[in-house]
Amino acid sequence: MIRTRISDLLARTDFGAEVCVKGWVRTKRGSKSVNFIALNDGSTIKNVQIVADVEKFDEETLKQITTGACLCVEGTLVESQGAGQSVEIQATAITVYGTCGADYPMQKKGQTFEYMRQHAHMRLRTNTFGAVMRIRHNMAMAIHRYFHEHGFYYFNTPIITASDCEGAGQMFQVTTKNLYDLKKDEEGKIDYSDDFFGKTTSLTVSGQLEGELGATALGAIYTFGPTFRAENSNTPRHLAEFWMIEPEVAFYDINDNMDLAEDFIKYCVRWALDNCADDLDFLNKMIDKTLLERLHFVVEHDFVRLTYTEGIEILEAAIKNGRKFEFPVYWGCDLASEHERYLVEEHFKRPVILTDYPKEIKAFYMKQNADGKTVRAMDVLFPQIGEIIGGSEREESYEKLTQRIEELHIPMKDMWWYLDTRRFGTCPHSGFGLGFERLILFVTGMQNIRDVIPFPRTPKSAEF
Ligand code: 4AD
Ligand code: MG
């Protein structure tokens, strides 16, 4: 018999039909005469209830049906008598594909997220992680659809690279050299000429620089790929391996860029509300009771836009009025998450886009303002998350860009290909990067970024 996915089955009303479902047992309860099995196959947060009359099955089979076991069930679709479900299956045949012992790590309900992280290979079978992973998939679909519908081309940038886009030096090195037998020159420097690529290479921290090459040829592109940062940040918002979406658009200035960011992120959140209702209801009930309210709020309200300098003034005024922060606030400081969240959650009570940051705390490629102090950067700050997007208008002047590269002592010879965009038909352009997992954090209401990616990579942790 053909298998029906449980999500499809629960929508059916052709009672009396013979059906087949396959999945994993969530719970079994029952009496001497009848067993009720809640079966889940990952297609939906909802289980289907299997009703098994004890007399129809041998004792051995029924004994093997424990939490976590995998079953194939054939039976008749019937209208449910119980509350909470519309249909159930009156079982006629049950095959146990895989038994599941009492040492199954997801046996008990209400385990901590920390415990589940240690068993991340099995946590996907829980309700919470099922919901998060289905939403994650839906967000990826929304992102591709948004850009496709708006004339952007999906552009793949390299994962192995010889340039440090953000200039922060937090890169994972890629080498095939024998680390036990490293050849060094007279100065004690490692000779990379005989390494795989003939030079030092690393995993990318951003596809932006190559993305700019795409945008200044195709008009508008976006990347969506894995990104790596060897920053030793043990926070609920940082991963060493995360996914980033980076649109880049020719002829956009900073205002067009902000409009794009706001429209794009609202589209994604609306997509979740329209397409992930069951999973969001579950998360709203179990994880965060204000989740749905927050999602609706974001799609329905304009983001506040102000400069970094205005943001600092607000924070300084708050401190004067007695508000305490862990980190100091002064013009020129890099805002901490607590400052960003103050602006969003307490002061404005809505998403904020901060622009025109001091050039010292931003990357070399950002367009310099006439004041000589600030650059046309934009960070989108979200409730609960802090920075969800970072971007800018790009410096299109060859002279200004090379001068900044010199000031920052970035090796110019490695940048020749990037600088060629400014030598050959340069143009105003802008773009930004959205951290995919930060978006998933926001949309699911989960508290820790390690719980919105199947297999998190963080300092001292690369299990599974
Ligand atoms: O602000 P960032 O560093 O900007 C860039 O990489 C630019 N090249 C983007 C661009 O203009 N094309 O990173 C962009 C976003 C951040 O706002 C944050 O959401 C996310 O990437 N992000 C991280 N997410 C998880 N773990 C980390 N360690 C992250 N670092 C940045
Ligand atoms: Mg940033």
Side-chain angles (χ1 to χ4, degrees):
M1 207 187 298
I2 296 170
R3 171 194 165 220
T4 306
R5 293 164 81 240
I6 290 172
S7 60
D8 296 330
L9 187 101
L10 294 177
R12 285 172 62 168
T13 50
D14 53 335
F15 304 117
E18 291 304 308
V19 295
C20 168
V21 293
K22 303 181 180 189
W24 293 269
V25 175
R26 283 290 209 263
T27 55
K28 185 177 82 168
R29 62 190 173 81
S31 61
K32 272 198 196 103
S33 59
V34 61
N35 280 187
F36 298 102
I37 304 157
L39 201 71
N40 188 283
D41 69 358
S43 61
T44 160
I45 188 89
K46 293 178 176 158
N47 305 324
V48 67
Q49 173 153 285
I50 313 293
V51 183
D53 291 330
V54 169
E55 61 181 23
K56 283 198 220 146
F57 299 93
D58 63 90
E59 210 177 312
E60 198 42 41
T61 305
L62 291 178
K63 236 198 263 167
Q64 289 180 345
I65 299 172
T66 58
T67 296
C70 187
L71 309 183
C72 169
V73 177
E74 293 180 353
T76 314
L77 188 70
V78 294
E79 202 165 359
S80 179
Q81 306 304 315
Q85 67 255 342
S86 51
V87 306
E88 57 191 34
I89 297 172
Q90 185 71 50
T92 50
I94 299 179
T95 308
V96 179
Y97 280 149
T99 58
C100 186
D103 54 345
Y104 174 51
M106 298 297 125
Q107 186 80 247
K108 289 199 206 73
K109 286 196 167 163
Q111 276 149 340
T112 64
F113 284 119
E114 180 55 40
Y115 171 88
M116 289 202 262
R117 254 168 249 145
Q118 287 156 12
H119 301 87
H121 59 309
M122 285 287 135
R123 67 179 180 171
L124 302 166
R125 297 230 199 126
T126 63
N127 284 333
T128 301
F129 285 89
V132 169
M133 292 307 142
R134 281 185 294 273
I135 291 172
R136 188 179 163 105
H137 161 81
N138 267 280
M139 288 297 91
M141 298 311 292
I143 288 162
H144 283 298
R145 281 179 80 120
Y146 179 87
F147 287 121
H148 181 68
E149 286 168 7
H150 289 79
F152 288 66
Y153 299 107
Y154 181 34
F155 187 71
N156 299 120
T157 52
I159 288 174
I160 299 174
T161 161
S163 62
D164 178 357
C165 170
E166 291 305 298
Q170 296 168 322
M171 305 187 81
F172 289 102
Q173 202 178 326
V174 173
T175 180
T176 54
K177 274 175 124 19
N178 178 356
L179 298 181
Y180 294 101
D181 182 24
L182 281 176
K183 214 167 47 192
K184 294 186 181 161
D185 66 12
E186 305 85 66
E187 288 169 38
K189 288 206 180 111
I190 299 165
D191 177 12
Y192 283 98
S193 60
D194 64 347
D195 200 355
F196 190 92
F197 296 105
K199 55 164 122 178
T200 40
T201 49
S202 305
L203 297 177
T204 187
V205 295
S206 160
Q208 179 195 321
L209 301 188
E210 292 89 351
E212 287 184 49
L213 300 178
T216 53
L218 297 162
I221 61 92
Y222 70 104
T223 71
F224 188 167
T227 311
F228 307 88
R229 297 204 182 168
E231 51 190 333
N232 200 1
S233 308
N234 261 304
T235 82
R237 278 177 298 279
H238 288 87
L239 289 165
E241 177 179 306
F242 62 99
W243 289 66
M244 184 150 60
I245 297 95
E246 294 185 276
E248 191 71 33
V249 196
F251 318 120
Y252 263 25
D253 68 12
I254 184 86
N255 292 308
D256 301 318
N257 206 29
M258 286 193 274
D259 291 343
L260 175 68
E262 183 167 344
D263 190 53
F264 164 58
I265 210 158
K266 283 179 170 169
Y267 178 98
C268 293
V269 175
R270 208 177 296 118
W271 181 276
L273 287 167
D274 291 346
N275 294 279
C276 308
D278 289 345
D279 288 324
L280 288 177
D281 283 344
F282 172 82
L283 293 167
N284 193 69
K285 205 165 83 193
M286 305 300 290
I287 302 292
D288 179 348
K289 301 232 169 357
T290 58
L291 173 63
L292 284 171
E293 191 187 308
R294 209 161 51 240
L295 299 184
H296 281 290
F297 186 88
V298 161
V299 292
E300 283 156 19
H301 291 84
D302 290 341
F303 298 1
V304 180
R305 300 178 185 190
L306 68 157
T307 65
Y308 167 92
T309 303
E310 290 165 329
I312 291 289
E313 283 163 9
I314 291 169
L315 289 164
E316 284 174 338
I319 291 168
K320 250 201 194 128
N321 285 325
R323 180 68 162 79
K324 296 264 181 294
F325 294 107
E326 187 183 342
F327 297 101
V329 173
Y330 54 93
W331 197 95
C333 77
D334 207 353
L335 295 180
S337 174
E338 58 171 346
H339 306 135
E340 295 171 341
R341 292 182 60 177
Y342 173 83
L343 292 173
V344 173
E345 292 165 25
E346 295 178 47
H347 188 82
F348 289 109
K349 298 193 168 61
R350 62 173 72 189
V352 168
I353 311 183
L354 275 191
T355 59
D356 302 289
Y357 282 72
K359 66 178 180 190
E360 280 74 24
I361 56 169
K362 289 293 181 189
F364 72 94
Y365 50 70
M366 296 192 180
K367 187 175 173 72
Q368 295 160 40
N369 281 320
D371 63 11
K373 290 191 302 198
T374 58
V375 287
R376 247 166 254 184
M378 54 167 245
D379 277 8
V380 180
L381 313 179
F382 256 43
Q384 311 271 319
I385 309 293
E387 179 190 337
I388 194 164
I389 281 178
S392 74
E393 187 170 337
R394 317 304 187 191
E395 182 56 71
E396 82 257 27
S397 151
Y398 179 79
E399 285 70 33
K400 285 188 189 160
L401 187 60
T402 49
Q403 199 194 333
R404 189 74 187 131
I405 288 176
E406 266 169 31
E407 279 168 20
L408 293 170
H409 307 296
I410 298 168
M412 195 83 75
K413 69 169 185 8
D414 297 338
M415 303 297 288
W416 65 272
W417 53 271
Y418 179 67
L419 291 170
D420 271 3
T421 53
R422 276 56 168 182
R423 288 177 64 212
F424 305 121
T426 191
C427 71
H429 62 288
S430 301
F432 61 80
L434 167 72
F436 189 47
E437 285 75 19
R438 298 219 181 149
L439 174 68
I440 309 301
L441 269 181
F442 179 72
V443 172
T444 58
M446 298 293 284
Q447 297 297 314
N448 193 317
I449 200 163
R450 296 169 172 94
D451 299 332
V452 297
I453 187 167
F455 305 106
R457 297 288 174 259
T458 51
K460 301 281 180 289
S461 169
E463 198 66 47
F464 316 112

